[in-house]
Amino acid sequence: MPWVKTQVTTEGITTEVLVETEVSLPAWGPDAKLDIVGQRIPKVDARYRVTGAAQYMFDKQLPGMLWAKAVRSPYPHARITGIDASAALKMPGVVDVIHIQNTAPIAYAPNGHVFNQEMSFVGDIAAVVAAEDPRILPDAVRAVNVTYEQLPFVTDLQQAIAMDPATAKQIFPQGVLAPTAVADRGDINAGFAAADVTVEATYLTQVVHHTTMEPHGCVAHWIDGYELHVWDTTQSAYGTQQALAKTFQIPDSQVFIWMDFMGGGFGSKTNLWRYHVLASLLSKRTGKPVHYVNDRREELLDTPHRPMHQQTWRLGATKDGQLTAIEMKSYDVAGAFNGMFTNISAVALQLYKCPNVHTADKTVFLNLHQLSAMRGPANTEAMVGMEATMDLLASKLNMDPVQLRKLNYATLDQTTNHPYSTKGLMDAYNYVTQAIGWQTNRKTTPGSDPGPKKRGVGIGSQIWAAAGGPPSNAEVAIQADGSITVRSSVADLGEGPKTILSMVVAEELGVPLEVVNADFGHSDYPWDLGTFGSRVTPSMAPAVRQAAYQAKQEIFTIAASELGVDPSQLECKKGVVFVTSDPTKSIPFAQVAALSSHTIIGNGWRGPNNPNYTTESFGAQAAEVEVDTETGVVTLLNLAAAHDCGRAINPMLVESQIHGGVDMAAGYGRFEEQVVDQRTGIPVTTNLFDYKIETAVDEPVIDAHIVENVDTIANNTGAKGMAEPPTMPTAPSIMNAVYNATGVWVRDMPLSPERVLRALKAAQSQQSA
Amino acid sequence: MRAFTYAAPTDLSSALTRLAEPGTHSVMGGGTDLVNSMKSYIETPADVVDLQGVQELQTLETSGDPVRIGVGLKLVDLLASQPLMKLFPILNDAASVVATPQLRNVGTVGGNLCQRPRCWYFRSVDFNCLRKGGTECYAILGENRFNAILGGLGCFMVHPSDLAPALIALNAQAVIGSASATRSIPLESFFIGPDVDVHRENVLVPGEMIVRVDVPRPASGQRGVYLKSRGRQTWDFATTAAAVSLVMSGSTCTSARVVLGGVAPKPWRSPDAEAALQGKSITPAVAAQAAAAAVKLARPMQYNAYKIDQVQALIQRAVLQAAGQEVS
Amino acid sequence: MAEDQRPRKVSRRGVIAGGVVGVAAVAFGGAKISAHSAPLPAQADVIYPHPDMCIGCGTCEVACTDWHASQGLSAQPRIHIMRAPAGAHVPLAAVAPFAGGISFQQLPCKQCPVPECWAVCPANAIRIDPKTGSRYIEESACIDCGKCASACPFPVQGTEEAGLAYVQTKRVERDAARRVYVKCDLCRGRPGGPACVEQCPVNMDVKAGRIHAPYGALEVRPSTMATYKTIA
């Protein structure tokens, strides 16, 4: 097939890719008669996960394996003045200690090198110990004597904003504030001039951690000069393979990343991390496999997180509610090093119809671990400011918040002027308002419930790039007994690609789902860019479908000769190949497979996206809360979520993503935050008690609804991405519901009891003042 | 954790004898606090004495006066005892909001009373705080949203036990055993604040352990309520809590005991709140007065002033509920 | 230097009655003053509190307790937090957030240039440290008579914090358990000087530049006739 250049947008970032166009297959439209796709089927690997049979990276045991642990900086900014590992090396079972003084520099972005003279955050790595038994490690790590010269540091956003440049340069060579990144549409000043009503508010959205159930780490076995084998927990085996090969300047073909099961990523496992390099290096030095895994404190210190932002939003509208101006200015905290997704301008530019938009993003550097993408990066945070300010505008206009949103509904992508391939946001609004009882449960006067416990409802929306796109590749191999293996480097983080992609293959081939086995996560399989950005379903579903289709052609060729017909006369259903016009002429699929003298392998790849359309997922959520205005406790009573995901290949798994996303985001809205002791620069929430994740008991009753808008412009399976969208509207809907319940805005996240009480008290004293 | 020796005695006498031996010992009830503390090097005993096999510590006598509660009883055992829960509904309130069902299945009464603080500076290996032997309380000028508004001195942790305020409101006695002697003191006096000793939370000296809690049978008209406010609805310690035990004669309170949790380094008895209730007919206004009296000398830190309002709300509600009045 | 030419009595009381001023620091042992011996040292250091910087945390008290206990001395704190009478001190803006709007004061011994307590002690238990000039009580010599406490002319003002075990009534106080009297001794013998000054968190933050203020909550200053009268 011809190769073309195409643009692909993932997580708000657009890149240009050279890609082969895919084989044209009939699209599965809304009326397509499908046997398996569209069914509610539990995850094919669920039983292995819940019974403990699943093997994760941690479970990898190899003969002679060593265990590794890092020696970490206790200071937020310090220069190493000495490293003495002699005491540690004398301990029985300690085999090696590596650090800057005994290793050649290895370039590692963005920290500079794997080992640096300067420590940039508490938990930064000064050395790594390898020992024969993991129980030796805590004492061995303590026995490595590192001396530091403390340097000026900053971990407080306000301090960084106010810091004079000379002091700032003592901390970071680039200072603490990056130049502002600006985006404009129309004329913002004219927009505000044309407004009858203007509102403005500032929000502080906090750092939250991915807290994957499975911690970060890998087992590396480097047979020097031969191959480097890594058992990993990664969202991109292919990306890690390439990065690791480049780091050590060995050919990609010598590096193997393997993964069977993974316990969550949420965007924290998309990169090459230092432990990949350190474990590999130790393995090379010692000649033994090396097992490196973070404990929970290290997870909360030395892995990335969703960044903190201080967002100031200003909206201008006519008295009828038409938006004339959207302005967003945000300080985006990167941490000690820059990363992607500090810029949160997309929501302002895309969600609502508005001719004049101005966004200004300023990255801030603090002595903390750097950020990374976290489930719906940028949009999840920006949605808080956008949606709460829309409700502020609605209240000033004396207008229903949903009405305001519908009035400013964007029918096309205002950044490209392309129409949306599908947009089910209107249906989503209608569903959730009905489900939450908007008319009856919303307080027309916020805070009007008598008594200390006050109820209210609020709404939130969501937009997210959901087209997927290349590169995504797969192969479908038909075994001699007719069972099927689907292979790709794509990762199943636990959310179910193994299931849905097996379903697509089974559907395309016409075989029962049970005979399909998905083998994913290995870098030596056809590569997929990675599991992030909600891209797997829309990228891989067409790819595996094509692979299945290609394999099916060979089956038909063989079957055709057996049956004495032309291959074009054949179809396959329920594992039987038959002549469409005369089904009595048939042959079992498995029998055909047995006849083949070579392994039947079909290759599939994802072709370019349609350049004339923008494909996004859309959704809305409505929350009903009860606020105890005397204790500050916000109870989430009900939450209705409606998400437009194109076709739901497996509605059960789509609902699972909705539940999971809402649960995560309910924590973002109410409990979770990284707290840093500003005097020392040390985070205090370094365990899973003090870092407060929501529990099952805290979760509301969730009404999860799929707005099915089969989108065959997006790709021939009609499915859009749905992994991250459910995380975006929840916190805004809670913030808006709390306003509706109390009449007071709490704009400092999370909406924990002490923040709610503080806001209520401040409002009270303002009133009496 | 530091290497340690381990003993699992099957009778109390052996346990006490072992505790009297030189060296540092920690007793273990269910281990739900001790094991974590040992992993964080907060507790570094040379010897751990596991009490789970000591039957004498697990007896529960509900028919006599006082009611005797063995410290080895698990929280789930307390909750499962209908006679006990009927005698003291306040204990049902308190025990049922401790931690999670899993932890209640393993954690003991003694462990709950003797647990170490939850102040995140105390719990973190990255801070050597004053209580742990360092020179600085990091909460004073640091992240103190969960710290004390009463009774802090040098150290501002809050005592995390739910059972303690409820038992003190019931006028319980702590029976302390050692190899040489047994003594009984009011549970209220069992706990000490940093004004007495900043490094420990109770009066136990090496060789001693609490063996039993004795609770006087309730008087006629005695009603108690324990209310706890926290962020999450489970697995969270109290940001503030109120234990109120009233002896009511009609709508008049003839005697009151008010003990606060989550506000001070030890369970905080409030004589001023009690005085505002004693002899009064309980109304919302009287309850509010008692609440205000309880916090009159509260001293907020930079981020915990909300506790002053929050605990007042709990006191008011607990008083009204204990007085038999429904609260919205 | 004004001098009294009358023959002096042997008692210390007489020295004070004689109104000796401006004398230099001299080492003292347990010996009484003789008529012609070196005069009483007036130059001493004193804990100089700044109540408008005090946040009432009590670290000074705990630090004092811990240090003295470690030296085998009475662990009763010799510095204590009281709530200042309303309006007496307003917390400086730099510490107002930490003080919660309430003002506190610390009322340790003022290390008087001419101490009354020293004069009345019948047991030579109150002595002068040659290094800092601190007026300290030698516990082994103290006979628990209480004359020092009665003689101290400086009251203790303010309100006690609720429910604390130690209640301060005077600048020099009795430790009933040990049966000695106790007062600030400027942590005599402690490297780094007084524990309260070193461990005060406000002092630490002022020193580190985290709090911007002209002074800390506790300082060590010379106790002159002028200085010590300005201390609360």
Side-chain angles (χ1 to χ4, degrees), chain A residues 139 142 297 452-453 628 630-631 633 635 671 673 675-677 679-680 682 684 688-690 692-693 695 697-698 753-755 757-758 761, chain B residues 1 41 118 120-121 124-127 136 138 141-143 145-146 229-237 303 306 309-310 313-314 317 328:
Chain A
D139 287 335
R142 281 162 171 246
R297 170 174 163 268
K453 294 189 185 177
D628 184 331
E630 290 176 346
T631 62
V633 174
T635 305
F671 311 120
E673 61 178 308
V675 179
V676 178
D677 175 73
R679 293 170 71 240
T680 57
I682 303 174
V684 291
L688 284 184
F689 173 72
D690 290 313
K692 295 193 187 297
I693 310 183
T695 68
V697 177
D698 300 298
E754 76 268 8
R755 284 187 173 82
L757 280 178
R758 244 176 251 144
K761 189 138 195 158
Chain B
M1 40 170 94
Y41 291 86
R118 303 308 309 194
W120 44 33
Y121 294 107
S124 169
V125 296
D126 299 309
F127 294 91
E136 195 177 343
Y138 294 91
L141 293 175
E143 291 294 329
R145 67 190 74 175
F146 297 132
S229 192
R230 48 185 170 174
R232 298 190 288 211
Q233 297 195 31
T234 186
W235 197 35
D236 224 348
F237 291 87
Y303 300 110
Y306 73 94
D309 291 328
Q310 198 184 68
L314 295 188
R317 294 177 189 182
S328 66

Side-chain angles (χ1 to χ4, degrees), chain A residues 35-36 478 481-484 505-516 552 555-556 559 563 571-579 583 585-594:
Chain A
D35 294 325
I36 299 171
I478 304 180
D481 65 350
S483 64
I484 316 291
V505 168
E507 184 75 54
E508 183 59 42
L509 287 175
V511 300
L513 180 60
E514 296 72 56
V515 307
V516 181
K552 192 166 66 171
I555 289 284
F556 284 171
L563 295 173
E571 63 182 286
C572 183
K573 286 233 185 294
K574 296 194 166 54
V576 179
V577 180
F578 61 96
V579 178
K585 281 180 120 163
S586 68
I587 177 169
F589 183 97
Q591 201 175 318
V592 181

Side-chain angles (χ1 to χ4, degrees), chain B residues 130 134-137 140-142 144 149-156 194-199 266 268 296-302, chain C residues 55-59 61-62 66 80-81 83 97-100 102 104 159-166 199 201-202 204-205 210-211:
Chain B
L130 187 66
T135 55
E136 195 177 343
C137 167
I140 291 172
L141 293 175
N144 51 38
I149 52 170
L150 286 159
L153 191 81
C155 167
F156 287 79
D195 50 330
V196 172
D197 185 345
V198 75
H199 303 293
K266 57 182 186 182
W268 196 258
K296 196 174 63 154
L297 281 182
R299 204 253 315 276
M301 304 174 85
Q302 192 175 9
Chain C
I55 60 172
C57 70
T59 300
E61 206 168 315
V62 172
D66 275 358
H80 182 69
I81 302 302
R83 277 199 202 199
F98 307 113
I102 307 167
F104 299 90
T159 327
E160 274 295 333
E161 288 302 297
L164 295 182
Y166 176 66
Q199 288 185 228
V202 171
M204 287 206 287
D205 271 26
R210 285 186 288 258
I211 290 177

Side-chain angles (χ1 to χ4, degrees), chain A residues 431-635:
Chain A
Y431 182 87
V432 299
T433 46
Q434 210 257 324
I436 208 75
W438 188 264
Q439 297 306 325
T440 42
N441 293 329
R442 184 170 166 270
K443 301 286 171 289
T444 39
T445 304
S448 54
D449 266 353
K453 294 189 185 177
K454 301 183 189 294
R455 295 192 175 188
V457 301
I459 191 120
S461 330
Q462 159 279 301
I463 182 172
W464 187 242
S472 278
N473 302 279
E475 69 185 20
V476 165
I478 304 180
Q479 308 288 351
D481 65 350
S483 64
I484 316 291
T485 310
V486 188
R487 297 192 194 110
S488 174
S489 77
V490 70
D492 187 322
L493 278 56
E495 83 284 26
K498 281 188 184 172
T499 305
I500 59 134
L501 297 176
S502 299
M503 289 167 73
V504 169
V505 168
E507 184 75 54
E508 183 59 42
L509 287 175
V511 300
L513 180 60
E514 296 72 56
V515 307
V516 181
N517 183 41
D519 193 0
F520 290 162
H522 295 202
S523 64
D524 46 326
Y525 289 168
W527 33 265
D528 164 74
L529 184 62
T531 304
F532 40 76
S534 305
R535 64 176 295 282
V536 169
T537 299
S539 307
M540 283 296 297
V544 303
R545 187 183 170 196
Q546 184 185 318
Y549 173 84
Q550 300 283 60
K552 192 166 66 171
Q553 304 318 300
E554 289 205 44
I555 289 284
F556 284 171
T557 304
I558 299 168
S561 87
E562 280 297 298
L563 295 173
V565 296
D566 189 83
S568 63
Q569 296 173 274
L570 293 172
E571 63 182 286
C572 183
K573 286 233 185 294
K574 296 194 166 54
V576 179
V577 180
F578 61 96
V579 178
T580 310
S581 55
D582 181 9
T584 60
K585 281 180 120 163
S586 68
I587 177 169
F589 183 97
Q591 201 175 318
V592 181
L595 289 170
S596 174
S597 61
H598 69 256
T599 318
I600 298 173
I601 296 186
N603 287 298
W605 56 86
R606 175 60 151 76
N609 289 326
N610 189 317
N612 302 314
Y613 289 86
T614 299
T615 298
E616 303 266 336
S617 80
F618 295 93
Q621 293 179 9
E624 187 189 6
V625 303
E626 180 177 271
V627 181
D628 184 331
T629 55
E630 290 176 346
T631 62
V633 174
V634 175
T635 305

Side-chain angles (χ1 to χ4, degrees), chain A residues 109 121 138 265 364 397 443 515 530 533:
Chain A
F121 55 93
V364 180
L397 290 167
K443 301 286 171 289
V515 307

Side-chain angles (χ1 to χ4, degrees), chain C residues 51-230:
Chain C
D52 55 3
M53 286 293 280
C54 178
I55 60 172
C57 70
T59 300
C60 49
E61 206 168 315
V62 172
C64 178
T65 294
D66 275 358
W67 160 256
H68 287 95
S70 75
Q71 302 301 297
L73 298 170
S74 164
Q76 190 154 294
R78 298 110 194 281
I79 184 167
H80 182 69
I81 302 302
M82 308 288 281
R83 277 199 202 199
H89 309 285
V90 176
L92 269 196
V95 295
F98 307 113
I102 307 167
S103 70
F104 299 90
Q105 57 194 15
Q106 316 93 325
L107 305 159
C109 166
K110 283 153 135 343
Q111 308 291 344
C112 301
V114 185
E116 296 277 355
C117 58
W118 169 84
V120 305
C121 177
N124 284 335
I126 296 197
R127 304 180 186 176
I128 316 288
D129 175 73
K131 188 157 158 254
T132 58
S134 82
R135 284 80 165 105
Y136 69 96
I137 298 177
E138 175 53 62
E139 284 191 20
S140 57
C142 173
I143 59 170
D144 194 27
C145 70
K147 288 190 171 164
C148 50
S150 314
C152 175
F154 295 105
V156 158
Q157 296 147 320
T159 327
E160 274 295 333
E161 288 302 297
L164 295 182
Y166 176 66
V167 174
Q168 182 181 11
T169 51
K170 305 201 70 77
R171 307 263 177 160
V172 53
E173 292 221 274
R174 184 167 186 255
D175 181 340
R178 281 175 85 108
R179 295 160 123 179
V180 292
Y181 275 74
V182 155
K183 62 185 271 318
C184 174
D185 60 358
L186 288 170
C187 286
R188 183 173 155 259
R190 181 178 184 277
C196 57
V197 174
E198 191 174 51
Q199 288 185 228
C200 167
V202 171
N203 283 7
M204 287 206 287
D205 271 26
V206 169
K207 204 165 146 197
R210 285 186 288 258
I211 290 177
H212 301 291
Y215 38 73
L218 293 168
E219 284 182 342
V220 178
R221 287 199 188 178
S223 174
T224 65
M225 290 300 292
T227 319
Y228 96 112
K229 290 243 165 86
T230 66

